[in-house]
Amino acid sequence: MSDKLIEMFAAGLKVDAVQLSEGTSPENTAQWDSLATMTLVMLLEDSFEVTLSTQDIMRMHSIGAAREILRAKGVGGI
């Protein structure tokens, strides 16, 4: 089963999706730097039609945290 959020992070981080999990974070993924964070924010906002606040972005410390933030904004199916 394909995970749209994992696939989006894989594209934004330019890594294979099989390398990613809910626990993937900037601390354990060298590709996840500040530039990648901004790329991911743009991908998430465009794909899910949401606006992420600075607070949301600061709390997005892992893929799992990003999923929780998006669900709280009403994004379903992720």
Side-chain angles (χ1 to χ4, degrees), residues 2 10-11 13-14 18-21 28 31-33 35 39 41 47 51 53-54 59 66-67 77:
S2 178
L13 296 172
K14 297 183 175 108
V18 299
Q19 297 175 328
L20 305 178
S21 69
N28 60 28
Q31 296 87 340
W32 192 339
D33 58 15
L35 182 58
T39 299
V41 167
S47 296
T51 300
S53 68
T54 302
R59 288 182 23 233
R67 191 180 307 276

Side-chain angles (χ1 to χ4, degrees), residues 29-48:
T29 308
Q31 296 87 340
W32 192 339
D33 58 15
S34 57
L35 182 58
T37 296
M38 297 317 300
T39 299
L40 291 166
V41 167
M42 288 187 305
L43 283 170
L44 295 172
E45 288 183 332
D46 290 347
S47 296
F48 297 116

Side-chain angles (χ1 to χ4, degrees), residues 53-62 64-66 68-70 72:
S53 68
T54 302
Q55 183 179 6
D56 293 331
I57 296 165
M58 297 300 288
R59 288 182 23 233
M60 197 170 67
H61 54 82
S62 69
E68 289 176 18
I69 291 164
L70 291 169

